Structure formats: structure tokens, C-alpha cells
Amino acid sequence: MVSEAVTAPVARARRPRTGTGYPRYVAAKAGGAVVSLLAVLVTGFFLFRLIPGDPVKTMTGGRPVSAEQLAAYRREFGLDLPLWHQFTDYCGKALTGDLGTSYQFRTPVIDKITEALPNTLLLTGTAFVLYTALGMWLGTRSAWRHGKLGDRLNTGLALTLYSVPSFWLGLLLIIVFAVGLGPIPGLFPTGGMESGGKEGFAYVVDVAHHLVLPVITLVAVEYGQTLLVTRSALLDEMGSDYLTTARAKGLRDDLVRRRHAVPNALLPTVTLVFVNLGRTVAGVILVETVFSWPGLGGLFYQALSVPDLPLVQGLFLVFASAVIVMNTLADLIYPLLDPRVGR
Amino acid sequence: MTLLEVRDLTVTYPNGAAAVRGVDLSLDSGSKLGVAGESGCGKSTLALALLRLLPAGTEVGGEILLDGEDVLKMRWGQVRAVRWAGASIVFQGAMHSLNPVHRVGDQIAEPILLHGGAGAAAARKRTGELLEQVGLPTARARAYPHELSGGQRQRVMIAMALACDPKLVIADEPTTALDVMIQAQILRLIEQLVSEQELGLIMISHDLAVLADTCDRLAVMYAGRVVEEGPARAVYEDALHPYGKALSGAFPRIGDPASRFAPRGLPGDPPDPSDLPSGCTFHPRCPVALDGCEVEDQWLREGAPGRRAACVHVGAAVRSTT
């Protein structure tokens, strides 16, 4: 863009102001995303080679194994090959969607991931929708009445919960509402995703029942960030001249807020929302572990402790791709929200 | 017929700053009043006060009679109905007064839909007419504010102000931040539209020359008060108040060699509204101050027929100090 503006100012000035801008912008952003994905592919390979521990020794679990057997294992997983050879192999396969075979489960990595992904998405997706809606709603209200008692309570509570470690809050909820404390009976299951042996509607209710506590934990620790970002973005717009214009037109206060202030404050919030959306795929290692949720977070934990290199690499690739894709989507949405971006 | 009558208007901000301290103004429909003064003299506060647009917690006293009804006594519903339909404001459109994320056509149509109860199609048609009235092609309705030049944005602002056929238009620094050629175009446009539609106009500016050129009458404000008031030409060319003199002296007059060499400008800064000088608030900067000015406050006095100024050197007091 810059070099073009320098070399061909006349041509640029003649071009219509809208229309050609967006496809170009999309191409630039998509190109950037592809470069990021390649960087992730390379980083993922070398980063986890730095983890101490010999995967083959871990697999054999310290049993006395002959050198021949170890060598056989190494050959089976391709660990005897030079590093650059392993790397090209890994890249070539990754590009065709083959992420290798898990050392510990002896099944394709991609199968393990697709198995756990829906469970994670169910948990984090539900929580994401709830904490985003709650955070944006409360953040808008807080900003509009900033400095008042309601705002101070709102912000104070959000900050407190935001600072609470998720696993601690999760354990607390399990003790009080799952195990039961004093007069409070154990209302919810302590962990897992289902009790087993249920079908149809009963199964749905059962899963929902298991969802309650982990979702509450996630919403409680996450909504604060959305609230604070929404609030500060809106506060930045509060003194704007165009809001005085809107009031002078005779608009009601809530219309001034909804129609004029909020659309201008959306950009920082949307960035955060998409980063969070990307993170939903990565699951939440701590919460999934505390509630024994069979998702990607738990799987990542298991893979790291071996280290199960193909599985770790595969998960890393999936997590990073999700974040990159969501950030790119956010970039693509900005021009639709704010006409000043990307034209 | 009197369109707007402001009586003893006072505005005090929550921090204690007395931005407006007893202003009387009167405007007939079809006439044009200029309000001049340095930044911080309370002229923009005055504009916002007329439609009760000042921030919550600001104390506003006195009376603002718009078409005989006191705006300050209205319920909020009535105030909202008066806003834009009864009196509209041309803000500094060249700056940030238009919403950056909405198309200008939608912004112009917004008050039409709100006050007129017109349908979307009718509002769109009216928006097109308004844009043509201010000299912009109808197709510009689809543009966003950042796609327009400063002058075009100001034209949009004017089209918007006329959207609901108000009886009074308040133009708050409508030409500030525009270059001189565009400034002249915008002023001609405002003049033309005001005379065509028999509107009352209050134009606020720091530029006395611009006001003298456009308006019938001129009020010069200093430290929250009108210190001089009279026919625009007379005030500009031969001010009675020493502040008025300094203000008109601050603009060189083309073709008058004497003005080029005459000392101009005014030493010192405008007073801090939360810490005003005693007596006549102008005395610390006044070249002709007397000993008594430090103690005795001044109100407008008759200086010549139809002309008033608040200075001890002018005529006899027409209003006792209350």
C-alpha cells in the first residue's frame, strides 16, 4: 500500500474510494495468516524437542528393556532419523492433514483430537457465549453510569472474580455444590461429562447437569475481562462531540448509547471476543482437569507429561491455528464495523 | 415577533466554574445575532445551555423562552421534542461532530424519522433535497464522514441542522478549522438558507470580522457576560467597550494603513471562570481602567441609541447592580 501510494499517487487518486479496497484488504490479511500458520508449524516442531526426557524411555515406563528393543521403538516412530529428516517428514504429513501417531495411545493424533474436540467446544463454547454476553452487557451499563455505585460494585466484583484462580474456584464449587456442605446437599456431579447408560433426552439433561459447575467457573473468571474492555472502550467515546450531536437531535438516552456510542466502542471488544473465541478450542487445562472433563485441555496435559511429541505438536498446531483463524476473522470484520479501517 | 428571549441566564459547572453569569439576549425570527468572544468566555456553554445539553450536575438559572416557553422548566420529554425540531445546532462539523461509523445520509435522516414521523422513503427523499440545498450531490448520502472534506462535512452538518425545519439555528463556530475560501462559501450558504427560510440564527465565533459580515446584531462576551451589544457593523467598526475595541483591533483591516501600525491584541489571558477577578472582570487587562473598576462591577448601559456596553466610561447605567 505504502509503496504504491509513493510511486503512483495519480493512479491512486483516480481510483474510486470504495469497492477495490476490501478484496485487497482480505488478501493481505489472509496472506498474513498463512505466514503465521507456517511459523507455528516450524515452532511447534522444534519447541517440543526441547522438553527434557526421552519419549521412548517414558513409554517403556522404566521397565528393563534391551537396547535392541529401544532401537526398534526408535525406528518405529522415526526417532532414529536425523532431525532435519524428521522435520521434513512432519511438515509434509502435516500439510496433508496427517499429524502422526500418538506414542502413548498408538492411534492417529488426529483421531484423538477429533474425539476430544466436541467435548471441549461444548464446555468452552457455552461458557464463551455466556461470559461474552454478560461482560458486554454489564460493561456497557457500567460505562454509561461510570463513577456511580452500580459501576463501582460491578467493576469491583468483576476484578475480584477475574483475579481468582479458576482451579481454586472450581474446587470450591465442587466442595459446596457437588459434595455438599452443611445444609447444602450435593446438587451437581463432581466431575466427568455424563453418568453413563442414558439415552435421548435423558442424556442431554445429564450432560447439561454435568456442565453447570464447570461453566459457572469459567464464566465467573472470564466475564470480567470482557466487562473491563467494553467499559473502557465505551468510556473513551463518552466525551465525543458526535454524542452531543446525537443528544441535540432529541434522541433518547438509550438510543444515543445503542446507536451512536456502542458501535464506535466495538473495535477493542470485538478483538477480545475473537481472541477468546480462538481460545475456546484450546480448552481450559485447569478447569478440565479439576472437573475431569474429557476435552482437549486434559489431553494436552496427558501428552505433555510423557512427552508424547506427535500429540503435543498436533494439539499445539490446532490451538494456534484456531487463534490465528479467529484473529484473521476479526480483522476481516473490522471494516464492516468501522468504515475507517482498511479502506 | 420574538423567537428567543434569554433572561439572566447563569451556568455554573459542577467544579464551581461560573461559565455564564447573567446573560440577556433577544432574537426575532428572521434575524441574525452574532456572539463573539475569546475561548473560555462562555459562548459555547451558552449554545449548549439553550437546548439543555450541558453535563449532569451543571446548575443553570434564569429563563430561556423559546417561542414563549421556558426551556428550563420543560419536562425531559418536551425538551427532546424541542431539540432539533424547534432549535438545531450546527456544530463544528469539520471536526468530530459527525458519527464516524454511520453514513452521512443516515445521520441527516435520523432526526427526520425521529421528529417528523416520516417513513424511511420520505426521509431518504428529504435527505437528498437537503444535500442538494447545501450544494452536495445526492449520492454523497452514502459517504462516511471520513470520506468527505472539511467543507463538505460542514455542509452535511448544515443540511442536518435544517432537516426538521427549525425556527432557530445555533451555529457554534461553524467555520473554525476550515480554510478561508471554504469559510466564505459556508458563510454565504448559511446566510442564504437563513434568509430563504426566515430562520432565526445565532452564530457563535471568535472571529469578529466573520460575525460582522453575516449578522445583524452582535453581542461581545467576556468572562460569562455580554459586555457589549449593538448593530453588528457599528460594534465591529467602533466598539464602545475596551474589550470590544481590542477584539476588533485584533483583525487587520485591508486598505487601512493605520490599522497595520496600531497596537493590537490584548495582554494577558482570559480569566479563569472558577476564579474571576473582583469588580469589573475585565479590569486587570483593561487599558483604560480606573481605580474604582477593581471594586465596582459593571452592567450594560445605554451608550448610543440601540447600543449598550458594560463599562464605566459608557453613558449612564441602565441597570442597577443587583
Side-chain angles (χ1 to χ4, degrees):
Chain A
M1 286 297 254
V2 175
S3 66
E4 188 211 39
V6 171
T7 54
V10 181
R12 183 163 170 72
R14 274 196 201 130
R15 230 168 50 181
R17 299 195 79 141
T18 49
T20 51
Y22 194 60
R24 206 191 155 81
Y25 177 83
V26 172
K29 291 294 170 192
V34 170
V35 171
S36 303
L37 282 173
L38 290 176
V40 165
L41 196 67
V42 175
T43 315
F45 181 81
F46 291 104
L47 184 64
F48 295 111
R49 292 290 184 284
L50 298 176
I51 299 175
D54 184 341
V56 177
K57 288 226 175 84
T58 324
M59 261 184 285
T60 53
R63 279 175 282 120
V65 187
S66 70
E68 288 81 42
Q69 267 174 304
L70 280 179
Y73 276 133
R74 290 221 161 80
R75 207 163 30 251
E76 185 189 337
F77 293 114
L79 289 168
D80 55 340
L81 297 168
L83 200 59
W84 65 268
H85 201 287
Q86 291 184 37
F87 177 64
T88 47
D89 257 14
Y90 151 82
C91 285
K93 281 184 178 165
L95 290 179
T96 59
D98 177 4
L99 296 174
T101 307
S102 158
Y103 296 163
Q104 53 180 334
F105 300 108
R106 306 291 172 99
T107 50
V109 166
I110 198 78
D111 290 353
K112 289 305 286 185
I113 292 176
T114 46
E115 198 177 292
L117 185 63
N119 301 344
T120 284
L121 287 183
L122 176 66
L123 171 62
T124 55
T126 311
F128 165 80
V129 170
L130 291 177
Y131 70 68
T132 301
L134 188 68
M136 286 177 74
W137 181 58
L138 289 178
T140 312
R141 293 180 63 92
S142 232
W144 210 247
R145 318 199 132 263
H146 64 108
K148 302 266 168 59
L149 183 67
D151 170 38
R152 289 211 298 274
L153 287 177
N154 229 334
T155 322
L157 182 66
L159 266 175
T160 310
L161 287 172
Y162 183 39
S163 323
V164 166
S166 57
F167 61 88
W168 181 77
L169 183 65
L171 287 172
L172 215 63
L173 289 178
I174 290 177
I175 293 169
V176 177
F177 295 107
V179 177
L181 187 74
I184 306 169
L187 295 169
F188 297 99
T190 52
M193 206 176 88
E194 52 177 313
S195 315
K198 298 239 168 70
E199 274 180 41
F201 186 65
Y203 174 76
V204 174
V205 171
D206 185 43
V207 171
H209 196 213
H210 282 81
L211 257 178
V212 174
L213 289 185
V215 164
I216 288 177
T217 309
L218 279 174
V219 169
V221 298
E222 294 285 355
Y223 88 100
Q225 197 185 9
T226 310
L227 184 151
L228 292 172
V229 169
T230 308
R231 179 178 177 274
S232 76
L234 197 55
L235 273 183
D236 282 347
E237 299 294 329
M238 291 282 285
S240 299
D241 292 340
Y242 64 81
L243 291 184
T244 308
T245 310
R247 283 194 194 95
K249 283 175 174 177
L251 290 172
R252 279 199 325 272
D253 198 49
D254 59 321
L255 274 179
V256 173
R257 179 176 66 208
R258 276 213 314 274
R259 206 184 277 173
H260 290 274
V262 170
N264 276 283
L266 270 181
L267 276 196
T269 316
V270 165
T271 310
L272 179 69
V273 166
F274 275 89
V275 168
N276 283 338
L277 197 55
R279 277 178 38 212
T280 57
V281 176
V284 261
I285 299 182
L286 294 174
V287 172
E288 284 191 3
T289 310
V290 167
F291 286 96
S292 323
W293 194 265
L296 289 179
L299 192 62
F300 196 55
Y301 176 73
Q302 287 174 36
L304 267 177
S305 44
V306 173
D308 188 344
L309 288 177
L311 190 53
V312 170
Q313 276 164 198
L315 284 166
F316 180 74
L317 201 62
V318 170
F319 294 169
S321 310
V323 173
I324 290 170
V325 168
M326 287 308 160
N327 276 331
T328 310
L329 269 183
D331 280 343
L332 298 186
I333 281 174
Y334 289 158
L336 308 180
L337 293 175
D338 189 331
R340 287 166 299 180
V341 178
R343 294 279 161 96
Chain B
M1 183 207 145
T2 308
L3 174 62
L4 177 76
E5 176 96 43
V6 176
R7 287 190 200 138
D8 195 26
L9 182 70
T10 56
V11 178
T12 310
Y13 281 111
N15 64 6
V20 177
R21 305 178 305 129
V23 164
D24 297 303
L25 289 174
S26 156
L27 183 78
D28 294 336
S29 36
S31 73
K32 295 169 277 183
L33 172 71
V35 178
E38 289 168 293
S39 36
C41 74
K43 54 194 198 305
S44 287
T45 302
L46 177 72
L48 294 177
L50 295 182
L51 286 181
R52 288 177 69 178
L53 288 166
L54 292 163
T58 312
E59 276 177 56
V60 184
E63 286 179 345
I64 299 169
L65 301 172
L66 184 65
D67 256 344
E69 264 204 274
D70 190 350
V71 176
L72 295 178
K73 291 207 177 71
M74 288 179 184
R75 283 176 290 109
W76 277 111
Q78 287 174 282
V79 173
R80 279 200 300 269
V82 164
R83 285 176 179 177
W84 225 257
S88 63
I89 308 187
V90 175
F91 292 101
Q92 285 188 24
M95 305 303 279
H96 309 289
S97 295
L98 294 170
N99 193 329
V101 305
H102 293 306
R103 296 181 195 278
V104 294
D106 296 340
Q107 298 192 55
I108 296 173
E110 189 175 35
I112 303 174
L113 292 166
L114 186 72
H115 294 288
R124 201 161 38 240
K125 189 162 162 282
R126 173 94 178 107
T127 302
E129 289 166 11
L130 285 163
L131 282 172
E132 270 173 23
Q133 240 177 350
V134 298
L136 287 174
T138 310
R140 289 317 253 159
R142 293 192 52 75
Y144 288 100
H146 74 277
E147 295 169 336
L148 303 176
S149 69
Q152 288 174 324
R153 281 204 287 266
Q154 196 61 62
R155 284 169 193 271
V156 167
M157 209 51 235
I158 293 169
M160 196 147 89
L162 298 176
C164 298
D165 295 317
K167 294 195 180 109
L168 171 66
V169 173
I170 304 157
D172 186 4
E173 306 261 4
T175 58
T176 308
L178 297 177
D179 66 60
V180 183
M181 296 302 288
I182 307 295
Q183 218 173 42
Q185 287 177 12
I186 296 291
L187 287 173
R188 291 292 84 82
L189 177 68
I190 292 178
E191 265 191 305
Q192 176 210 332
L193 293 171
V194 165
S195 60
E196 270 173 17
Q197 305 185 18
E198 280 285 296
L199 303 170
L201 173 74
I202 294 181
M203 178 127 89
I204 294 170
S205 176
H206 60 270
D207 192 334
L208 211 56
V210 159
L211 293 178
D213 207 31
T214 318
C215 299
D216 312 321
R217 292 185 73 78
L218 208 59
V220 178
M221 276 185 81
Y222 188 80
R225 270 199 205 150
V226 174
V227 294
E228 171 147 16
E229 197 251 339
R233 273 284 137 203
V235 173
Y236 178 55
E237 278 162 10
D238 177 29
L240 298 174
H241 194 279
Y243 177 66
K245 282 197 179 82
L247 206 58
S248 57
F251 300 96
R253 245 155 270 189
I254 294 164
D256 176 8
S259 84
R260 287 168 59 187
F261 302 107
R264 332 177 240 282
L266 199 58
D269 296 317
D272 175 0
S274 53
D275 184 21
L276 292 167
S278 60
C280 168
T281 48
F282 187 58
H283 84 264
R285 300 168 79 189
C286 183
V288 293
L290 305 176
D291 287 345
C293 291
E294 213 170 305
V295 189
E296 205 184 330
D297 201 357
Q298 297 296 330
W299 291 90
L300 286 173
R301 320 146 164 247
E302 198 88 32
R307 297 191 59 183
R308 297 187 298 165
C311 180
V312 69
H313 295 288
V314 174
V318 290
R319 179 175 173 174
S320 60
T321 44
T322 43

